[in-house]
C-alpha cells in the first residue's frame, strides 16, 4: 500500500490521551523482526490504526491512545507517545500485531521501564 502525507484517516488521540500528550514522547523502541518501516505501517493499518507518511522514509501511526513515528533502520525504530494509563493496551496491541519488539517507557515520575515481547519458536 502506498501511504501519503495526507494519511489514511482513522482514529486520533481521544480526550484522555490528549490530556496527557503535552508531556511529549514517552516511548522509544524497535520492532526487532519486521521487514522494514513500510511493512510495519501496513500491519498497523490492517489493524485499524491511522497511517500517514511523515517523510520520504518515515511513517506516523496512530490510535486513540498512542502515536508512533516509525523510522527505517534494521531493526525498525520508533518513538512517540502513549497515554500512560494505557501502556498495557499498547503492549497487547503490539503483541497482537505479531511484531516482536523492545519498548522503553518513561512514566510520569521520570522512571524508565523496559519491555520485550516474547518471540514464539518458528516465528
Amino acid at each position: 500500500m502506498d501511504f501519503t502525507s495526507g494519511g489514511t484517516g482513522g482514529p486520533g488521540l481521544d480526550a484522555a490521551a490528549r490530556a496527557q500528550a503535552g508531556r511529549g514522547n514517552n516511548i522509544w523502541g524497535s520492532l526487532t523482526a519486521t521487514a522494514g518501516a513500510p511493512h510495519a505501517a501496513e500491519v498497523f493499518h490492517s489493524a485499524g490504526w491511522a497511517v500517514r507518511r511523515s517523510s520520504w522514509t518515515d511513517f506516523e501511526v496512530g490510535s486513540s491512545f498512542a502515536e508512533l513515528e516509525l523510522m527505517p533502520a534494521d531493526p525498525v525504530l520508533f518513538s512517540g507517545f502513549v497515554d500512560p494509563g494505557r501502556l498495557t493496551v499498547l503492549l497487547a496491541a503490539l503483541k497482537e500485531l505479531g511484531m516482536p519488539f523492545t519498548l522503553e517507557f518513561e512514566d510520569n515520575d521520570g522512571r524508565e521501564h523496559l519491555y520485550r515481547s516474547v518471540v514464539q519458536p518458528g516465528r
Side-chain angles (χ1 to χ4, degrees):
M1 176 170 229
D2 188 28
F3 298 107
T4 68
S5 61
T8 62
L13 293 178
D14 62 21
R18 282 193 311 272
Q20 295 288 324
R23 298 176 184 267
N25 284 1
N26 61 359
I27 54 172
W28 301 266
S30 62
L31 302 172
T32 57
T34 303
H39 172 74
E42 288 178 13
V43 172
F44 278 101
H45 181 260
S46 294
W49 288 55
V51 178
R52 74 176 199 88
R53 187 177 287 275
S54 53
S55 76
W56 288 106
T57 58
D58 298 3
F59 298 86
E60 183 179 281
V61 298
S63 70
S64 60
F65 58 90
E67 292 180 332
L68 306 175
E69 183 80 16
L70 306 177
M71 296 158 275
D74 187 15
V76 173
L77 301 176
F78 65 85
S79 65
F81 166 80
V82 63
D83 177 349
R86 291 186 272 180
L87 173 64
T88 57
V89 176
L90 176 61
L91 295 171
L94 290 172
K95 181 178 178 183
E96 182 70 25
L97 293 173
M99 293 187 290
F101 63 88
T102 298
L103 182 145
E104 183 177 333
F105 168 70
E106 183 178 320
D107 66 25
N108 289 343
D109 296 324
R111 292 185 303 255
E112 295 178 2
H113 307 270
L114 184 63
Y115 301 89
R116 288 189 173 93
S117 62
V118 176
V119 179
Q120 300 296 326
R123 277 197 159 184

Coordinates of all heavy atoms in Angstrom, one line a residue, residues 9-105:
G9 N -6.7 8.5 7.4 CA -7.9 8.7 8.3 C -7.8 7.7 9.4 O -6.8 7.0 9.5
G10 N -8.8 7.6 10.2 CA -8.7 6.6 11.3 C -8.7 7.4 12.6 O -8.8 8.6 12.7
P11 N -8.6 6.6 13.7 CA -8.7 7.3 15.0 C -7.5 8.2 15.3 O -6.4 8.0 14.8 CB -8.6 6.1 16.0 CG -7.8 5.0 15.2 CD -8.2 5.2 13.7
G12 N -7.8 9.3 16.0 CA -6.9 10.2 16.5 C -6.9 10.0 18.0 O -7.7 9.3 18.6
L13 N -6.0 10.7 18.7 CA -6.0 10.6 20.2 C -7.3 11.0 20.8 O -7.8 12.0 20.3 CB -4.8 11.4 20.8 CG -3.4 11.0 20.5 CD1 -2.4 12.0 21.1 CD2 -3.1 9.6 21.0
D14 N -7.8 10.2 21.7 CA -9.1 10.6 22.4 C -8.8 11.7 23.4 O -7.6 12.0 23.7 CB -9.8 9.4 22.9 CG -9.1 8.6 24.0 OD1 -8.1 9.2 24.6 OD2 -9.4 7.5 24.2
A15 N -9.8 12.2 24.1 CA -9.7 13.3 25.1 C -8.7 12.9 26.2 O -7.9 13.7 26.7 CB -11.0 13.7 25.6
A16 N -8.8 11.7 26.7 CA -7.9 11.2 27.8 C -6.5 11.2 27.4 O -5.6 11.7 28.1 CB -8.4 9.8 28.3
A17 N -6.2 10.8 26.2 CA -4.8 10.7 25.7 C -4.3 12.2 25.4 O -3.2 12.5 25.7 CB -4.7 9.9 24.5
R18 N -5.2 13.0 24.8 CA -4.8 14.4 24.5 C -4.4 15.1 25.8 O -3.5 16.0 25.8 CB -5.8 15.1 23.7 CG -5.9 14.8 22.3 CD -6.8 15.7 21.5 NE -8.1 16.0 22.0 CZ -9.2 15.2 21.8 NH1 -9.1 14.2 21.0 NH2 -10.3 15.5 22.4
A19 N -5.1 14.8 26.9 CA -4.8 15.5 28.2 C -3.4 15.1 28.7 O -2.8 15.9 29.4 CB -5.9 15.1 29.2
Q20 N -2.9 14.0 28.3 CA -1.6 13.6 28.7 C -0.5 13.9 27.7 O 0.7 13.9 28.0 CB -1.6 12.0 29.0 CG -2.4 11.6 30.1 CD -1.9 12.0 31.4 OE1 -0.6 11.9 31.6 NE2 -2.7 12.3 32.4
A21 N -0.9 14.1 26.4 CA 0.1 14.2 25.3 C 1.0 15.4 25.5 O 2.1 15.4 24.9 CB -0.6 14.3 24.0
G22 N 0.7 16.4 26.2 CA 1.5 17.6 26.4 C 2.8 17.3 27.1 O 3.8 18.0 27.0
R23 N 2.9 16.1 27.7 CA 4.2 15.7 28.3 C 5.3 15.3 27.3 O 6.4 15.2 27.6 CB 3.9 14.5 29.3 CG 3.0 14.9 30.4 CD 2.7 13.6 31.2 NE 1.8 13.9 32.2 CZ 2.0 14.3 33.5 NH1 3.3 14.4 33.8 NH2 1.1 14.5 34.4
G24 N 4.8 15.1 26.0 CA 5.8 14.7 25.0 C 6.0 13.2 24.9 O 5.3 12.4 25.5
N25 N 7.0 12.9 24.1 CA 7.4 11.5 23.8 C 7.7 10.8 25.2 O 8.4 11.3 26.0 CB 8.6 11.4 22.9 CG 8.2 11.6 21.5 OD1 7.1 12.0 21.1 ND2 9.2 11.5 20.6
N26 N 7.1 9.6 25.3 CA 7.4 8.8 26.5 C 7.7 7.3 26.2 O 7.8 6.5 27.1 CB 6.2 8.9 27.5 CG 4.9 8.4 27.0 OD1 4.8 8.0 25.8 ND2 3.9 8.5 27.8
I27 N 7.7 7.0 24.9 CA 8.1 5.6 24.5 C 9.1 5.7 23.3 O 9.1 6.5 22.5 CB 6.9 4.8 24.1 CG1 6.1 5.5 23.0 CG2 6.1 4.4 25.3 CD1 5.0 4.6 22.4
W28 N 10.0 4.7 23.4 CA 11.1 4.5 22.4 C 11.3 3.0 22.2 O 11.1 2.3 23.2 CB 12.4 5.2 22.8 CG 12.2 6.7 23.0 CD1 12.4 7.7 22.2 CD2 11.8 7.3 24.3 NE1 12.2 8.9 22.8 CE2 11.8 8.7 24.1 CE3 11.4 6.8 25.5 CZ2 11.4 9.6 25.0 CZ3 11.1 7.7 26.5 CH2 11.1 9.1 26.2
G29 N 11.6 2.6 21.0 CA 11.9 1.2 20.9 C 12.2 0.7 19.5 O 12.5 1.6 18.6
S30 N 12.1 -0.6 19.3 CA 12.3 -1.1 18.0 C 11.4 -2.3 17.8 O 11.0 -3.0 18.7 CB 13.8 -1.6 17.9 OG 14.1 -2.6 18.8
L31 N 11.1 -2.5 16.5 CA 10.4 -3.7 16.1 C 11.4 -4.6 15.5 O 12.0 -4.4 14.5 CB 9.4 -3.3 15.0 CG 8.4 -2.2 15.4 CD1 7.5 -1.8 14.2 CD2 7.5 -2.7 16.5
T32 N 11.8 -5.6 16.3 CA 13.0 -6.4 16.2 C 13.1 -7.4 15.1 O 14.1 -7.9 14.7 CB 13.4 -7.0 17.5 OG1 12.3 -7.9 17.9 CG2 13.6 -6.0 18.6
A33 N 11.9 -7.7 14.5 CA 11.9 -8.7 13.4 C 10.9 -8.3 12.3 O 10.1 -9.1 11.9 CB 11.7 -10.1 13.9
T34 N 10.9 -7.1 11.9 CA 9.9 -6.6 11.0 C 10.7 -6.2 9.7 O 11.7 -5.6 9.7 CB 9.2 -5.3 11.6 OG1 8.7 -5.7 12.8 CG2 8.2 -4.8 10.6
A35 N 10.0 -6.5 8.6 CA 10.6 -6.3 7.2 C 10.5 -4.9 6.8 O 9.9 -4.6 5.7 CB 10.0 -7.3 6.2
G36 N 11.0 -4.0 7.5 CA 11.0 -2.6 7.1 C 9.8 -1.7 7.6 O 8.8 -2.3 8.0
A37 N 10.1 -0.4 7.6 CA 9.0 0.5 8.1 C 7.8 0.5 7.2 O 6.7 0.6 7.8 CB 9.6 1.9 8.1
P38 N 7.9 0.4 5.9 CA 6.6 0.3 5.1 C 5.8 -0.9 5.4 O 4.5 -0.8 5.6 CB 7.1 0.2 3.6 CG 8.5 0.9 3.6 CD 9.0 0.5 5.0
H39 N 6.4 -2.0 5.7 CA 5.7 -3.2 6.1 C 5.0 -3.0 7.4 O 3.9 -3.4 7.6 CB 6.6 -4.5 6.1 CG 5.9 -5.7 6.7 ND1 5.0 -6.4 6.0 CD2 6.1 -6.3 7.9 CE1 4.6 -7.4 6.8 NE2 5.2 -7.3 7.9
A40 N 5.8 -2.5 8.4 CA 5.2 -2.2 9.7 C 4.0 -1.3 9.6 O 3.0 -1.5 10.3 CB 6.3 -1.6 10.6
A41 N 4.1 -0.2 8.8 CA 3.0 0.7 8.6 C 1.8 -0.1 8.0 O 0.6 0.2 8.5 CB 3.4 1.8 7.6
E42 N 2.0 -1.0 7.1 CA 0.9 -1.8 6.6 C 0.2 -2.7 7.6 O -1.0 -2.8 7.7 CB 1.4 -2.6 5.4 CG 1.7 -1.9 4.2 CD 2.2 -2.7 3.0 OE1 2.1 -4.0 3.1 OE2 2.7 -2.1 2.1
V43 N 1.0 -3.2 8.5 CA 0.5 -4.1 9.6 C -0.4 -3.2 10.5 O -1.5 -3.6 10.9 CB 1.6 -4.8 10.4 CG1 1.1 -5.5 11.6 CG2 2.3 -5.8 9.4
F44 N 0.1 -2.0 10.9 CA -0.7 -1.2 11.8 C -2.0 -0.8 11.1 O -3.1 -0.8 11.7 CB 0.1 0.1 12.1 CG 1.1 -0.1 13.3 CD1 2.4 -0.3 13.1 CD2 0.6 -0.1 14.6 CE1 3.3 -0.4 14.1 CE2 1.5 -0.2 15.7 CZ 2.8 -0.4 15.5
H45 N -1.9 -0.4 9.8 CA -3.1 0.0 9.0 C -4.1 -1.2 9.0 O -5.3 -0.9 9.2 CB -2.7 0.4 7.6 CG -3.8 0.8 6.8 ND1 -4.4 0.0 5.8 CD2 -4.5 2.0 6.7 CE1 -5.4 0.6 5.3 NE2 -5.5 1.8 5.8
S46 N -3.6 -2.4 8.8 CA -4.5 -3.5 8.7 C -5.3 -3.7 10.1 O -6.4 -4.3 10.1 CB -3.8 -4.8 8.4 OG -3.3 -4.7 7.0
A47 N -4.6 -3.3 11.1 CA -5.2 -3.4 12.5 C -6.1 -2.2 12.8 O -6.6 -2.1 14.0 CB -4.1 -3.6 13.5
G48 N -6.3 -1.3 11.9 CA -7.2 -0.2 12.1 C -6.6 1.1 12.6 O -7.3 2.1 12.9
W49 N -5.3 1.2 12.7 CA -4.6 2.4 13.1 C -4.5 3.4 11.9 O -4.5 3.0 10.7 CB -3.1 2.1 13.5 CG -3.0 1.3 14.8 CD1 -3.6 0.2 15.1 CD2 -2.2 1.7 15.9 NE1 -3.2 -0.2 16.4 CE2 -2.3 0.7 16.9 CE3 -1.4 2.8 16.1 CZ2 -1.7 0.8 18.1 CZ3 -0.7 2.9 17.4 CH2 -0.9 1.9 18.3
A50 N -4.5 4.6 12.2 CA -4.3 5.7 11.1 C -2.9 5.6 10.8 O -2.0 5.4 11.6 CB -4.7 7.1 11.7
V51 N -2.6 5.8 9.5 CA -1.2 5.8 9.0 C -1.0 7.0 8.0 O -1.9 7.2 7.2 CB -0.9 4.5 8.3 CG1 0.6 4.5 7.7 CG2 -1.0 3.3 9.2
R52 N 0.1 7.6 8.1 CA 0.5 8.6 7.1 C 2.0 8.6 7.0 O 2.7 8.3 7.9 CB 0.0 10.0 7.5 CG 0.7 10.7 8.6 CD 0.2 12.1 8.9 NE 1.2 12.9 9.6 CZ 2.2 13.6 9.1 NH1 2.3 13.7 7.8 NH2 3.1 14.2 9.8
R53 N 2.4 9.0 5.8 CA 3.9 9.1 5.5 C 4.3 10.5 6.1 O 3.7 11.5 5.7 CB 4.1 9.1 4.0 CG 5.6 9.0 3.7 CD 5.8 8.9 2.2 NE 5.5 7.6 1.7 CZ 6.3 6.5 1.7 NH1 7.5 6.7 2.2 NH2 6.0 5.4 1.2
S54 N 5.3 10.5 7.0 CA 5.7 11.7 7.6 C 7.0 12.3 7.0 O 7.4 13.4 7.3 CB 5.9 11.5 9.1 OG 6.7 10.5 9.4
S55 N 7.6 11.5 6.1 CA 8.8 11.9 5.3 C 8.9 10.9 4.2 O 8.1 10.0 4.0 CB 10.1 12.0 6.2 OG 10.5 10.7 6.4
W56 N 10.0 11.1 3.4 CA 10.2 10.1 2.4 C 10.4 8.7 2.9 O 10.0 7.7 2.2 CB 11.5 10.5 1.6 CG 11.3 11.7 0.7 CD1 11.9 12.9 1.0 CD2 10.6 11.8 -0.5 NE1 11.5 13.8 0.0 CE2 10.7 13.1 -0.9 CE3 9.8 10.9 -1.2 CZ2 10.1 13.6 -2.1 CZ3 9.2 11.4 -2.4 CH2 9.4 12.7 -2.8
T57 N 10.8 8.5 4.1 CA 11.1 7.2 4.6 C 10.4 6.8 5.9 O 10.4 5.7 6.3 CB 12.7 7.1 4.9 OG1 13.0 8.1 5.8 CG2 13.5 7.2 3.6
D58 N 9.8 7.8 6.6 CA 9.2 7.6 7.9 C 7.7 7.5 7.8 O 7.1 8.1 6.9 CB 9.6 8.7 8.9 CG 11.1 8.7 9.2 OD1 11.9 7.9 8.5 OD2 11.5 9.5 10.0
F59 N 7.1 6.9 8.8 CA 5.6 6.8 8.9 C 5.2 7.1 10.3 O 5.8 6.8 11.2 CB 5.2 5.3 8.5 CG 5.5 4.9 7.2 CD1 6.8 4.4 6.9 CD2 4.6 5.1 6.1 CE1 7.1 4.0 5.6 CE2 5.0 4.7 4.8 CZ 6.2 4.2 4.6
E60 N 4.0 7.8 10.3 CA 3.4 8.0 11.6 C 2.1 7.1 11.7 O 1.3 7.1 10.8 CB 2.9 9.5 11.7 CG 2.3 9.9 13.0 CD 2.0 11.3 13.1 OE1 2.9 12.2 13.2 OE2 0.8 11.7 12.9
V61 N 2.0 6.4 12.8 CA 0.8 5.5 13.0 C 0.2 6.0 14.3 O 0.8 6.4 15.2 CB 1.2 4.0 13.1 CG1 1.8 3.6 11.7 CG2 2.2 3.7 14.2
G62 N -1.2 6.0 14.3 CA -1.9 6.5 15.5 C -3.1 5.7 15.8 O -3.8 5.1 14.9
S63 N -3.5 5.8 17.0 CA -4.8 5.2 17.5 C -5.4 6.2 18.5 O -4.8 7.3 18.7 CB -4.5 3.8 18.2 OG -3.8 4.1 19.4
S64 N -6.4 5.8 19.2 CA -7.0 6.7 20.2 C -6.1 6.9 21.4 O -6.3 7.8 22.2 CB -8.4 6.1 20.6 OG -8.2 4.8 21.2
F65 N -5.1 6.0 21.6 CA -4.3 6.0 22.9 C -2.8 6.2 22.6 O -2.1 6.3 23.6 CB -4.6 4.8 23.7 CG -4.2 3.5 23.0 CD1 -3.0 3.0 23.0 CD2 -5.2 2.9 22.2 CE1 -2.7 1.8 22.3 CE2 -4.9 1.7 21.5 CZ -3.6 1.2 21.6
A66 N -2.4 6.2 21.4 CA -0.9 6.2 21.1 C -0.6 6.8 19.7 O -1.5 6.6 18.8 CB -0.3 4.9 21.2
E67 N 0.5 7.4 19.6 CA 1.0 7.9 18.3 C 2.5 7.5 18.2 O 3.3 7.8 19.2 CB 0.9 9.4 18.1 CG -0.5 9.9 18.0 CD -0.6 11.4 17.8 OE1 0.3 12.1 18.3 OE2 -1.6 11.8 17.2
L68 N 2.9 6.8 17.1 CA 4.3 6.4 17.0 C 4.8 6.8 15.7 O 4.1 6.8 14.7 CB 4.3 4.8 17.0 CG 3.7 4.1 18.2 CD1 3.8 2.6 17.9 CD2 4.4 4.5 19.5
E69 N 6.1 7.2 15.7 CA 6.8 7.5 14.4 C 7.7 6.3 14.1 O 8.6 5.9 15.0 CB 7.7 8.8 14.7 CG 8.4 9.2 13.5 CD 7.6 10.0 12.5 OE1 6.5 10.5 12.9 OE2 8.0 10.2 11.3
L70 N 7.5 5.7 13.0 CA 8.3 4.5 12.6 C 9.5 5.0 11.7 O 9.2 5.7 10.7 CB 7.5 3.5 11.8 CG 6.2 3.0 12.4 CD1 5.4 2.1 11.5 CD2 6.5 2.3 13.7
M71 N 10.7 4.6 12.0 CA 11.8 5.1 11.3 C 12.6 3.9 10.7 O 12.8 2.9 11.4 CB 12.8 5.8 12.2 CG 12.1 7.1 12.7 SD 12.9 7.7 14.2 CE 12.0 6.8 15.4
P72 N 12.9 3.9 9.4 CA 13.6 2.8 8.7 C 15.0 2.6 9.3 O 15.8 3.5 9.2 CB 13.6 3.2 7.3 CG 13.6 4.7 7.3 CD 12.8 5.1 8.5
A73 N 15.2 1.5 9.8 CA 16.5 1.1 10.3 C 16.4 -0.4 10.4 O 15.4 -1.0 10.1 CB 16.9 1.7 11.6
D74 N 17.5 -1.1 10.8 CA 17.4 -2.5 11.0 C 17.9 -2.8 12.4 O 19.1 -2.8 12.6 CB 18.3 -3.2 9.9 CG 18.2 -4.7 10.0 OD1 17.2 -5.2 10.6 OD2 19.1 -5.4 9.5
P75 N 17.0 -2.9 13.3 CA 15.5 -3.1 13.2 C 14.8 -1.7 13.0 O 15.4 -0.7 13.2 CB 15.1 -3.7 14.5 CG 16.1 -3.2 15.5 CD 17.4 -3.1 14.7
V76 N 13.5 -1.8 12.7 CA 12.7 -0.6 12.6 C 12.7 0.1 13.9 O 12.4 -0.6 14.9 CB 11.3 -0.9 12.1 CG1 10.4 0.3 12.1 CG2 11.3 -1.5 10.7
L77 N 12.9 1.4 14.0 CA 12.9 2.1 15.3 C 11.6 2.9 15.4 O 11.0 3.2 14.3 CB 14.1 3.1 15.3 CG 15.5 2.5 15.2 CD1 16.5 3.6 15.2 CD2 15.7 1.5 16.4
F78 N 11.2 3.2 16.6 CA 10.0 4.0 16.8 C 10.2 4.9 18.0 O 11.0 4.6 18.9 CB 8.7 3.2 16.9 CG 8.6 2.3 18.0 CD1 8.1 2.7 19.3 CD2 8.9 0.9 17.9 CE1 8.0 1.9 20.4 CE2 8.8 0.1 19.0 CZ 8.4 0.6 20.2
S79 N 9.5 6.0 18.0 CA 9.4 6.8 19.2 C 8.0 7.4 19.2 O 7.3 7.4 18.1 CB 10.4 7.9 19.2 OG 10.2 8.8 18.1
G80 N 7.5 7.9 20.3 CA 6.2 8.5 20.3 C 5.6 8.7 21.7 O 6.3 8.7 22.7
F81 N 4.3 8.6 21.7 CA 3.6 8.9 22.9 C 2.5 7.8 23.1 O 1.9 7.4 22.1 CB 2.8 10.2 22.8 CG 1.8 10.4 23.9 CD1 2.1 10.8 25.2 CD2 0.4 10.2 23.6 CE1 1.2 10.9 26.1 CE2 -0.5 10.3 24.5 CZ -0.2 10.7 25.8
V82 N 2.3 7.4 24.3 CA 1.2 6.5 24.7 C 0.6 7.1 26.0 O 1.3 7.6 26.8 CB 1.6 5.0 25.0 CG1 2.6 4.9 26.1 CG2 0.4 4.2 25.2
D83 N -0.7 7.1 26.0 CA -1.4 7.5 27.3 C -0.9 6.6 28.4 O -1.0 5.4 28.3 CB -2.9 7.3 27.1 CG -3.7 7.7 28.3 OD1 -3.1 7.9 29.4 OD2 -4.9 7.8 28.2
P84 N -0.2 7.2 29.4 CA 0.4 6.3 30.4 C -0.5 5.3 31.1 O -0.1 4.2 31.4 CB 0.9 7.3 31.5 CG 1.1 8.6 30.7 CD 0.0 8.6 29.7
G85 N -1.8 5.7 31.2 CA -2.8 4.7 31.7 C -3.1 3.6 30.8 O -3.8 2.6 31.2
R86 N -2.7 3.6 29.6 CA -3.0 2.6 28.6 C -1.7 1.9 28.0 O -1.8 1.4 26.9 CB -3.9 3.1 27.5 CG -5.3 3.4 28.1 CD -6.3 3.8 27.1 NE -6.2 5.3 26.9 CZ -6.9 6.0 26.1 NH1 -7.8 5.4 25.3 NH2 -6.8 7.3 26.0
L87 N -0.6 2.0 28.7 CA 0.6 1.3 28.3 C 0.3 -0.2 28.0 O 0.7 -0.7 27.0 CB 1.7 1.5 29.3 CG 3.0 0.7 29.0 CD1 3.6 1.1 27.6 CD2 4.0 0.8 30.1
T88 N -0.4 -0.8 28.9 CA -0.7 -2.3 28.7 C -1.5 -2.5 27.5 O -1.4 -3.6 26.8 CB -1.4 -2.9 30.0 OG1 -2.6 -2.1 30.2 CG2 -0.5 -2.8 31.2
V89 N -2.4 -1.6 27.1 CA -3.2 -1.7 25.8 C -2.2 -1.7 24.7 O -2.3 -2.5 23.7 CB -4.2 -0.6 25.7 CG1 -5.0 -0.6 24.4 CG2 -5.2 -0.7 26.9
L90 N -1.2 -0.8 24.7 CA -0.2 -0.7 23.6 C 0.6 -2.0 23.6 O 0.8 -2.5 22.5 CB 0.7 0.5 23.8 CG 1.8 0.6 22.7 CD1 1.3 0.7 21.3 CD2 2.8 1.7 23.1
L91 N 1.0 -2.5 24.7 CA 1.8 -3.7 24.7 C 1.0 -4.9 24.1 O 1.5 -5.7 23.4 CB 2.3 -4.0 26.1 CG 3.3 -3.0 26.7 CD1 3.5 -3.3 28.2 CD2 4.6 -3.0 26.0
A92 N -0.3 -5.0 24.5 CA -1.1 -6.0 24.0 C -1.3 -5.9 22.5 O -1.3 -6.8 21.7 CB -2.5 -6.0 24.7
A93 N -1.5 -4.6 22.0 CA -1.7 -4.4 20.6 C -0.4 -4.8 19.8 O -0.6 -5.4 18.7 CB -2.0 -2.9 20.3
L94 N 0.8 -4.4 20.3 CA 2.0 -4.8 19.6 C 2.1 -6.3 19.5 O 2.5 -6.9 18.5 CB 3.2 -4.2 20.3 CG 3.4 -2.7 20.1 CD1 4.5 -2.2 21.0 CD2 3.6 -2.3 18.7
K95 N 1.8 -7.0 20.6 CA 1.8 -8.5 20.6 C 0.8 -9.0 19.6 O 1.1 -9.9 18.9 CB 1.5 -9.0 22.0 CG 1.5 -10.5 22.2 CD 1.3 -10.9 23.6 CE 1.3 -12.4 23.6 NZ 0.9 -12.9 25.0
E96 N -0.4 -8.5 19.6 CA -1.4 -9.0 18.7 C -1.0 -8.8 17.2 O -1.4 -9.6 16.4 CB -2.7 -8.2 19.0 CG -3.9 -8.6 18.1 CD -4.4 -10.0 18.4 OE1 -4.2 -10.5 19.5 OE2 -5.0 -10.7 17.5
L97 N -0.3 -7.7 16.9 CA 0.2 -7.4 15.6 C 1.2 -8.4 15.1 O 1.5 -8.5 13.9 CB 0.7 -6.0 15.5 CG -0.3 -4.9 15.6 CD1 0.4 -3.5 15.7 CD2 -1.3 -4.9 14.5
G98 N 1.8 -9.1 16.1 CA 2.8 -10.1 15.7 C 4.2 -9.6 15.4 O 4.9 -10.3 14.7
M99 N 4.5 -8.4 15.8 CA 5.8 -7.8 15.5 C 6.6 -7.8 16.8 O 6.3 -7.0 17.7 CB 5.6 -6.4 15.0 CG 5.0 -6.3 13.6 SD 5.0 -4.7 12.8 CE 3.8 -3.8 13.9
P100 N 7.6 -8.7 16.9 CA 8.4 -8.6 18.1 C 9.0 -7.2 18.4 O 9.3 -6.5 17.4 CB 9.5 -9.7 17.8 CG 8.9 -10.5 16.8 CD 8.0 -9.7 16.0
F101 N 9.1 -6.9 19.6 CA 9.5 -5.5 19.9 C 10.3 -5.4 21.2 O 10.3 -6.3 22.1 CB 8.3 -4.6 20.1 CG 7.4 -5.0 21.3 CD1 7.6 -4.5 22.5 CD2 6.3 -5.9 21.1 CE1 6.8 -4.9 23.6 CE2 5.5 -6.3 22.1 CZ 5.7 -5.8 23.4
T102 N 11.0 -4.3 21.3 CA 11.6 -3.9 22.6 C 11.1 -2.4 22.8 O 11.1 -1.7 21.8 CB 13.2 -3.8 22.5 OG1 13.6 -5.2 22.3 CG2 13.8 -3.3 23.8
L103 N 10.6 -2.1 24.0 CA 10.0 -0.8 24.2 C 10.5 -0.3 25.5 O 10.5 -1.0 26.5 CB 8.5 -1.0 24.2 CG 7.6 0.3 24.4 CD1 6.3 0.1 23.6 CD2 7.3 0.5 25.9
E104 N 10.9 1.0 25.5 CA 11.2 1.7 26.7 C 10.2 2.7 27.0 O 9.8 3.5 26.1 CB 12.6 2.3 26.6 CG 13.1 3.0 27.8 CD 14.5 3.6 27.6 OE1 15.3 3.1 26.8 OE2 14.8 4.6 28.3
F105 N 9.6 2.8 28.2 CA 8.6 3.7 28.6 C 9.0 4.5 29.8 O 9.6 4.0 30.7 CB 7.3 2.9 29.0 CG 6.3 3.7 29.7 CD1 5.5 4.6 29.0 CD2 6.0 3.5 31.0 CE1 4.5 5.4 29.6 CE2 5.0 4.2 31.7 CZ 4.3 5.2 31.0

